[in-house]
Amino acid sequence: MNRDDALARLRRTAEAGEPVIGAGAGTGLSAKCAEAGGGDLIIIYNSGRYRMAGRGSLAGLMPYGDANAIVVDMAREVLPVVRETPVLAGVCGTDPFRRMEVFLAELKALGFAGVQNFPTVGLIDGTFRANLEETGMGFDLEVDMVRRAREMDLLTAPYVFDTDQARRMAGAGADIVVAHMGLTTSGTIGARTALTLEESVHRVQGIADAAREVSPGVLVLCHGGPIAEPDDAGLVLARTRGVSGFFGASSMERLPTETAMTETMRRYKRLRPAAEEAGGRG
């Protein structure tokens, strides 16, 4: 699916008053289920693979593998099983070992409809983040990646973490801005330190307003932090204006998998074999 078709479909969904729902997929089965359930977007990136291997999503920001090579490898698993839903690639825009215009062209040729900036330095703060910015590995490179992708007619759905980043990504031509509230909470490997839902409502609204100052037609989705379950997303959508939907990753595949598989095992363990007859057979 090309950018124009994908974007037109997403806007029709939003204009009909339905939520635009994006889903991160770490496996082909996750992608198939997301599409079967009516998901509007599927996004694959390295953290999906780590997440479904039982590791925390922040493994995607650690030096455990080549993030951009992993997403290309995942494409072979996901793209052949998704029939009609646009699939976006998580791109490490700060990767110093790739010519970004060449890599983006490769992703487009593979069949990706668009891109998202992941892994992202937006999840990093403190002195380490300052040093990344100072040494040429900062968020500006992710903005540049989104600008290049937009020029190549790829759908762009970047993560942003504050109002300034929202304005910059909107100015770079982002079709969708995803207001990221931090690492998703809940479950066996979810975050414990996070914003509250109330804080997230205000932050998502600020990001949506900032993005629309620059690009009135941009779609805005919320993601992460305490927005971990459908009811959480529903609360944020009900209490914000101009937010079209939700993008989930851990909340779409890790948490449902943990719940379903754990409960299924408990049901099996509640089974009881028939007792043998007393005294056996004489």
Side-chain angles (χ1 to χ4, degrees):
M1 184 177 295
N2 62 40
R3 173 186 171 272
D4 288 342
D5 290 342
L7 190 55
R9 190 162 79 171
L10 296 173
R11 286 179 172 156
R12 284 195 299 271
T13 298
E15 289 166 3
E18 300 175 10
V20 173
I21 303 297
T27 68
L29 181 59
S30 297
K32 288 184 71 171
C33 290
E35 182 172 54
D40 301 293
L41 287 169
I42 293 171
I43 300 94
I44 63 176
Y45 47 68
N46 66 334
S47 275
R49 174 165 288 180
Y50 294 129
R51 183 165 50 239
M52 298 308 284
R55 276 68 178 180
S57 294
L58 288 185
L61 274 67
M62 298 297 287
Y64 303 148
D66 181 338
N68 285 330
I70 288 171
V71 80
V72 170
D73 187 58
M74 292 173 70
R76 297 182 298 175
E77 181 176 345
V78 171
L79 292 177
V81 299
V82 176
R83 302 301 180 191
E84 298 180 357
T85 309
V87 180
L88 276 58
V91 176
C92 180
T94 60
D95 186 344
F97 299 102
R98 280 177 173 79
R99 290 176 54 197
M100 195 50 61
E101 68 277 10
V102 174
F103 184 59
L104 292 173
E106 177 185 353
L107 295 176
K108 189 172 184 178
L110 284 171
F112 284 105
V115 298
Q116 185 172 66
N117 56 325
F118 196 91
T120 172
V121 299
L123 281 166
I124 301 170
D125 56 16
T127 301
F128 184 41
R129 172 63 179 278
N131 290 163
L132 287 171
E133 298 288 346
E134 292 162 356
T135 54
M137 291 176 279
F139 195 79
D140 281 346
L141 292 177
E142 299 181 24
V143 177
D144 289 342
M145 182 276 290
V146 168
R147 182 177 291 106
R148 287 176 183 267
R150 177 64 184 84
E151 291 170 353
M152 296 174 67
D153 209 29
L154 285 161
L155 188 71
T156 52
Y159 282 136
V160 301
F161 298 82
D162 58 38
T163 55
D164 177 63
Q165 293 176 5
R167 293 186 186 95
R168 290 160 65 191
M169 283 296 192
D175 299 303
I176 304 162
V177 165
V178 183
H180 200 308
M181 298 296 104
L183 189 65
T184 301
T185 60
S186 302
T188 60
I189 52 175
R192 300 291 181 267
T193 303
L195 298 170
T196 66
L197 270 175
E198 182 67 26
E199 290 169 331
S200 295
V201 166
H202 293 293
R203 186 169 292 190
V204 169
Q205 187 65 69
I207 286 172
D209 292 343
R212 287 211 168 82
E213 287 174 10
V214 178
S215 177
V218 69
L219 294 172
V220 180
L221 309 181
C222 59
H223 169 79
I227 317 172
E229 302 284 351
D231 287 347
D232 303 328
L235 184 149
V236 174
L237 295 179
R239 296 182 60 186
T240 53
R241 304 176 314 280
V243 178
S244 298
F246 173 70
F247 165 60
S250 292
S251 55
M252 291 294 183
E253 60 175 357
R254 174 177 65 81
L255 293 175
T257 299
E258 289 181 14
T259 301
M261 293 188 70
T262 301
E263 182 54 32
T264 297
M265 180 56 70
R266 288 171 178 159
R267 290 172 59 198
Y268 275 113
K269 290 297 291 181
R270 288 195 290 267
L271 300 176
R272 292 293 179 265
E276 293 185 8
E277 295 180 11
R281 297 183 180 181

